[in-house]
Amino acid sequence: QVQVVESGGGSVQAGGSLRLSCAVSGYTYRHYCMGWFRQAPGKEREGVVGIYTGGGMTYYADSVKGRFTISQDNAKNTLYLQMNSLKPEDTAMYYCAVDRYCSAGYPIGGYWGQGTQVTVSS
């Protein structure tokens, strides 16, 4: 059974930092597409960053470029999202997703975690 578990959310003031983690277990494939998405109240879900763990390009949303950095620990099947210079508009529920392949840089289906809340106050 595939499990995707996010952690690391919390509340910070604008300009602060948080690091999110996404641990994947039970996935058959050695390499796969992973991504972070977020959804704020009343807004549509948007892709934040996507990566193929087997190598290749990393895709960042324009709104987070230069502030967010993704990294991976393949031995632990864990993806990290370092978020710096956080802004109130980054406030959202953040979800991690895993799929066999990427489409336009992001997993398009597959398995999703339960989400972790990030709240940035001004």
Side-chain angles (χ1 to χ4, degrees), residues 49-70:
V49 60
I51 186 172
Y52 183 69
T53 65
M57 293 188 66
T58 302
Y59 295 85
Y60 290 92
D62 289 341
S63 58
V64 305
K65 283 181 181 177
R67 300 187 299 120
F68 290 12
T69 303
I70 197 170

Side-chain angles (χ1 to χ4, degrees), residues 60-119:
Y60 290 92
D62 289 341
S63 58
V64 305
K65 283 181 181 177
R67 300 187 299 120
F68 290 12
T69 303
I70 197 170
S71 61
Q72 60 186 90
D73 184 335
N74 287 341
K76 295 182 179 180
N77 292 328
T78 299
L79 190 69
Y80 302 99
L81 182 64
Q82 179 66 43
M83 305 186 296
N84 297 328
S85 302
L86 282 162
K87 304 175 181 180
E89 51 263 43
D90 294 318
T91 295
M93 184 70 80
Y94 283 70
Y95 298 92
C96 180
V98 177
D99 203 351
R100 179 70 179 94
Y101 297 107
C102 295
S103 177
Y106 292 92
I108 59 173
Y111 301 91
W112 291 77
Q114 79 289 349
T116 185
Q117 178 68 37
V118 171
T119 302

